[in-house]
Amino acid sequence: MTEPTEPTPTTDPDRRTTDDHGHDIVTPLQAAIITVSTSRAEAVDPDDPGGDRIESLFEAAGHRVVDRRLVADGRAPIQAALDDLVAEPTVDLVIATGGTGPTVDDVTPEAVAARFDRELPGFGELFRRLSHREIGTRVVATRATAGIADATPVFVVPGSTNAVELATEAIILEEAPHLVGLSTRHLAADPDA
């Protein structure tokens, strides 16, 4: 199968299949990244090492990133970016990185969770378990989370390069094809839904 030059909807039958257990999967994935950082959003020529790392990992796995956004810390900018991305039929999943700590301006988990139709608590639990091996008890400050917003899996991860690498390699790339397939199965069955 050759990769299309333009992104296709998640319901595209050429990207939908089933695994050995008959569960729906979507591959290759088309992801979007939201990087939350006021300092980067206000910079003239911002760098985004976490977003760059997510994109490179997706590409190395045969998937692609179809949209990237850089927004300031704050509920309104985060929710506006997320709302726009989950409404886009060619975005299979969203990864929001940054703003997950315990400071007063770390509002990404709350901003994104307000859009969840269903939570996926196992993501944050597993991420913290795996992170403990690297950072020890400091993992208690990590508020990584995930859920389904408008039939789109959304993952919220810390902004450090190590954190995005761990979350993307160890969890997201492994589970996202299945999660996207399950969360959009009703749309593929009835494209007018």
Coordinates of all heavy atoms in Angstrom, one line a residue, residues 29-78:
L29 N -1.3 5.7 10.9 CA -2.0 6.8 11.6 C -1.7 8.1 11.1 O -0.6 8.4 10.6 CB -1.6 6.7 13.1 CG -2.0 5.5 13.9 CD1 -1.3 5.4 15.2 CD2 -3.5 5.5 14.1
Q30 N -2.6 9.1 11.3 CA -2.4 10.5 11.0 C -2.7 11.2 12.3 O -3.8 11.4 12.8 CB -3.4 10.9 9.9 CG -3.2 10.2 8.6 CD -4.2 10.4 7.6 OE1 -4.0 10.2 6.4 NE2 -5.4 10.9 7.9
A31 N -1.6 11.7 12.9 CA -1.6 12.4 14.2 C -1.5 13.9 14.1 O -1.0 14.4 13.1 CB -0.5 11.8 15.1
A32 N -2.0 14.5 15.2 CA -1.8 16.0 15.4 C -1.1 16.2 16.7 O -1.3 15.4 17.7 CB -3.1 16.7 15.3
I33 N -0.3 17.2 16.8 CA 0.4 17.5 18.1 C 0.1 18.9 18.5 O 0.1 19.9 17.7 CB 2.0 17.4 17.8 CG1 2.3 16.0 17.4 CG2 2.7 17.8 19.1 CD1 3.8 15.9 16.9
I34 N -0.2 19.1 19.8 CA -0.4 20.4 20.4 C 0.7 20.6 21.4 O 0.8 19.8 22.4 CB -1.8 20.6 21.1 CG1 -2.9 20.4 20.1 CG2 -1.8 21.9 21.7 CD1 -4.3 20.3 20.8
T35 N 1.6 21.5 21.2 CA 2.6 21.8 22.2 C 2.2 23.0 23.0 O 1.8 24.1 22.4 CB 4.0 22.1 21.5 OG1 4.4 21.0 20.8 CG2 5.0 22.5 22.5
V36 N 2.1 22.8 24.3 CA 1.6 23.9 25.2 C 2.8 24.5 25.9 O 3.5 23.9 26.7 CB 0.6 23.3 26.2 CG1 0.1 24.4 27.2 CG2 -0.6 22.7 25.5
S37 N 3.1 25.8 25.6 CA 4.2 26.5 26.2 C 4.1 28.0 25.8 O 4.2 28.4 24.7 CB 5.5 26.0 25.6 OG 6.6 26.8 26.0
T38 N 3.8 28.8 26.9 CA 3.7 30.2 26.7 C 5.0 30.8 26.1 O 5.0 31.6 25.1 CB 3.3 30.9 28.0 OG1 2.0 30.4 28.4 CG2 3.2 32.4 27.8
S39 N 6.1 30.4 26.7 CA 7.4 31.0 26.2 C 7.7 30.6 24.7 O 8.1 31.5 23.9 CB 8.6 30.5 27.1 OG 8.7 29.1 27.0
R40 N 7.4 29.4 24.3 CA 7.6 29.0 22.9 C 6.6 29.7 22.0 O 6.9 30.1 20.9 CB 7.5 27.5 22.8 CG 8.7 26.8 23.4 CD 8.7 25.3 23.1 NE 10.0 24.8 23.6 CZ 10.0 23.8 24.5 NH1 8.9 23.4 25.0 NH2 11.1 23.4 25.0
A41 N 5.3 29.8 22.5 CA 4.3 30.4 21.6 C 4.6 31.9 21.4 O 4.2 32.4 20.3 CB 2.9 30.2 22.3
E42 N 5.2 32.5 22.3 CA 5.5 33.9 22.2 C 6.9 34.2 21.5 O 7.2 35.3 21.1 CB 5.5 34.6 23.5 CG 4.2 34.7 24.1 CD 4.1 35.2 25.6 OE1 5.2 35.4 26.1 OE2 3.0 35.4 26.1
A43 N 7.7 33.1 21.2 CA 9.0 33.3 20.6 C 8.9 33.6 19.1 O 7.9 33.1 18.5 CB 9.8 32.0 20.8
V44 N 9.8 34.3 18.6 CA 9.8 34.6 17.2 C 10.1 33.4 16.3 O 9.5 33.1 15.3 CB 10.9 35.7 16.9 CG1 11.0 36.0 15.4 CG2 10.5 37.0 17.6
D45 N 11.1 32.6 16.7 CA 11.5 31.4 16.0 C 11.5 30.3 17.1 O 12.6 29.9 17.5 CB 12.8 31.6 15.4 CG 13.2 30.4 14.5 OD1 12.3 29.7 14.1 OD2 14.4 30.3 14.2
P46 N 10.4 29.8 17.5 CA 10.3 28.8 18.6 C 10.9 27.4 18.2 O 10.7 27.0 17.1 CB 8.8 28.7 18.9 CG 8.2 29.0 17.6 CD 9.0 30.0 16.9
D47 N 11.5 26.8 19.2 CA 11.9 25.4 19.0 C 10.9 24.6 19.7 O 10.2 25.1 20.6 CB 13.3 25.2 19.6 CG 13.4 25.4 21.1 OD1 12.6 26.1 21.6 OD2 14.3 24.8 21.7
D48 N 10.8 23.3 19.3 CA 9.8 22.4 19.9 C 10.4 21.0 19.9 O 10.0 20.2 19.1 CB 8.5 22.5 19.1 CG 7.4 21.6 19.7 OD1 7.6 21.1 20.8 OD2 6.4 21.4 19.0
P49 N 11.4 20.8 20.8 CA 12.0 19.5 20.7 C 11.1 18.3 21.1 O 11.2 17.2 20.5 CB 13.2 19.6 21.8 CG 12.8 20.8 22.6 CD 12.0 21.7 21.8
G50 N 10.2 18.5 22.0 CA 9.2 17.4 22.3 C 8.3 17.1 21.1 O 8.2 15.9 20.7
G51 N 7.8 18.1 20.5 CA 6.9 17.9 19.3 C 7.7 17.3 18.1 O 7.2 16.4 17.4
D52 N 9.0 17.8 18.0 CA 9.8 17.2 16.9 C 10.1 15.7 17.2 O 10.1 14.9 16.2 CB 11.2 18.0 16.9 CG 11.1 19.4 16.4 OD1 10.0 19.8 15.8 OD2 12.0 20.2 16.6
R53 N 10.3 15.4 18.4 CA 10.6 14.0 18.8 C 9.4 13.1 18.5 O 9.5 12.0 18.0 CB 11.0 13.8 20.2 CG 11.5 12.4 20.6 CD 12.7 12.1 19.8 NE 13.1 10.7 20.1 CZ 13.5 9.8 19.2 NH1 13.6 10.1 17.9 NH2 13.8 8.6 19.6
I54 N 8.2 13.6 18.9 CA 6.9 12.8 18.6 C 6.8 12.6 17.1 O 6.6 11.5 16.6 CB 5.7 13.5 19.2 CG1 5.7 13.6 20.7 CG2 4.4 12.8 18.7 CD1 4.7 14.5 21.3
E55 N 7.0 13.6 16.3 CA 6.9 13.5 14.9 C 7.9 12.5 14.3 O 7.5 11.7 13.5 CB 7.0 14.9 14.2 CG 6.7 14.8 12.7 CD 6.5 16.2 12.1 OE1 6.7 17.2 12.7 OE2 6.1 16.2 10.9
S56 N 9.1 12.6 14.8 CA 10.1 11.7 14.2 C 9.8 10.2 14.6 O 10.0 9.3 13.8 CB 11.5 12.1 14.7 OG 11.7 11.8 16.0
L57 N 9.3 10.0 15.8 CA 8.9 8.6 16.2 C 7.7 8.1 15.4 O 7.7 6.9 15.0 CB 8.6 8.6 17.7 CG 9.8 8.8 18.6 CD1 9.3 9.0 20.0 CD2 10.7 7.6 18.5
F58 N 6.7 9.0 15.1 CA 5.6 8.5 14.3 C 6.1 8.2 12.8 O 5.7 7.2 12.3 CB 4.5 9.6 14.2 CG 3.5 9.4 15.3 CD1 3.7 9.7 16.6 CD2 2.2 8.8 14.9 CE1 2.7 9.4 17.6 CE2 1.2 8.6 15.9 CZ 1.5 8.9 17.2
E59 N 6.9 9.1 12.3 CA 7.4 8.8 10.9 C 8.2 7.5 10.9 O 8.1 6.8 9.9 CB 8.2 10.0 10.4 CG 7.3 11.2 10.1 CD 8.0 12.5 9.8 OE1 9.3 12.5 9.9 OE2 7.4 13.4 9.4
A60 N 9.1 7.3 11.9 CA 9.9 6.1 11.9 C 9.1 4.8 12.0 O 9.5 3.8 11.5 CB 10.9 6.2 13.1
A61 N 7.9 4.9 12.6 CA 7.0 3.8 12.7 C 6.0 3.7 11.5 O 5.1 2.8 11.5 CB 6.2 3.9 14.0
G62 N 6.2 4.5 10.5 CA 5.4 4.4 9.3 C 4.1 5.2 9.3 O 3.2 5.1 8.4
H63 N 3.9 6.1 10.3 CA 2.8 6.9 10.4 C 3.2 8.4 10.0 O 4.3 8.6 9.6 CB 2.2 6.9 11.9 CG 2.0 5.5 12.4 ND1 1.0 4.7 11.9 CD2 2.6 4.8 13.4 CE1 1.0 3.5 12.5 NE2 2.0 3.6 13.4
R64 N 2.3 9.3 10.2 CA 2.6 10.7 9.9 C 1.9 11.7 10.8 O 0.8 11.3 11.3 CB 2.5 11.0 8.5 CG 1.0 11.0 8.0 CD 1.1 11.3 6.5 NE -0.3 11.3 5.9 CZ -0.5 11.7 4.7 NH1 0.4 12.1 3.9 NH2 -1.8 11.7 4.3
V65 N 2.5 12.8 10.9 CA 1.9 13.9 11.7 C 1.3 14.9 10.6 O 2.0 15.3 9.7 CB 2.9 14.6 12.6 CG1 2.3 15.9 13.2 CG2 3.3 13.7 13.7
V66 N 0.0 15.1 10.7 CA -0.7 15.9 9.7 C -1.0 17.4 10.2 O -1.4 18.2 9.3 CB -2.0 15.3 9.2 CG1 -1.7 14.0 8.5 CG2 -3.0 15.1 10.4
D67 N -0.7 17.6 11.4 CA -0.9 19.0 11.9 C -0.2 19.2 13.2 O 0.0 18.2 14.0 CB -2.4 19.3 12.2 CG -2.8 20.7 12.2 OD1 -1.9 21.6 12.6 OD2 -3.9 21.1 11.9
R68 N 0.4 20.4 13.4 CA 1.1 20.7 14.7 C 0.7 22.1 15.1 O 0.6 23.0 14.2 CB 2.6 20.7 14.5 CG 3.1 19.3 14.5 CD 4.6 19.2 14.3 NE 5.4 19.7 15.4 CZ 6.7 19.6 15.6 NH1 7.4 19.0 14.7 NH2 7.3 20.1 16.6
R69 N 0.4 22.3 16.4 CA 0.0 23.6 16.9 C 0.9 23.9 18.1 O 1.2 23.0 18.9 CB -1.5 23.6 17.3 CG -2.5 23.1 16.3 CD -2.8 24.1 15.3 NE -3.7 23.5 14.3 CZ -5.0 23.6 14.2 NH1 -5.6 24.3 15.1 NH2 -5.6 23.1 13.2
L70 N 1.2 25.2 18.2 CA 2.0 25.7 19.4 C 1.1 26.7 20.1 O 0.8 27.7 19.4 CB 3.3 26.2 18.9 CG 4.3 26.8 20.0 CD1 4.6 25.7 21.0 CD2 5.5 27.3 19.3
V71 N 0.7 26.5 21.3 CA -0.2 27.4 22.0 C 0.3 27.7 23.4 O 1.1 27.0 24.0 CB -1.7 26.8 22.1 CG1 -2.2 26.4 20.8 CG2 -1.7 25.5 23.0
A72 N -0.2 28.9 23.8 CA 0.2 29.4 25.2 C -0.5 28.6 26.2 O -1.6 28.0 26.0 CB -0.1 30.8 25.3
D73 N 0.1 28.5 27.4 CA -0.6 27.9 28.6 C -1.9 28.6 28.8 O -1.9 29.9 28.9 CB 0.3 28.0 29.8 CG 1.5 27.1 29.7 OD1 1.4 25.9 29.9 OD2 2.6 27.7 29.4
G74 N -3.0 27.9 28.9 CA -4.3 28.5 29.2 C -5.4 27.7 28.6 O -5.3 27.1 27.5
R75 N -6.5 27.6 29.4 CA -7.6 26.7 28.9 C -8.1 27.1 27.6 O -8.3 26.2 26.7 CB -8.7 26.8 29.9 CG -8.5 26.0 31.2 CD -9.6 26.2 32.2 NE -9.3 25.6 33.5 CZ -9.9 24.5 33.9 NH1 -10.7 23.8 33.2 NH2 -9.5 24.0 35.1
A76 N -8.4 28.4 27.3 CA -9.0 28.8 26.0 C -8.1 28.4 24.8 O -8.6 27.8 23.9 CB -9.3 30.3 26.1
P77 N -6.8 28.7 24.8 CA -6.0 28.4 23.6 C -5.9 26.9 23.5 O -5.9 26.4 22.3 CB -4.7 29.0 23.9 CG -4.7 29.8 25.1 CD -6.1 29.6 25.8
I78 N -5.8 26.1 24.5 CA -5.6 24.7 24.4 C -6.9 24.1 23.9 O -6.9 23.3 23.0 CB -5.3 24.1 25.8 CG1 -3.9 24.5 26.3 CG2 -5.4 22.5 25.8 CD1 -3.6 24.2 27.8

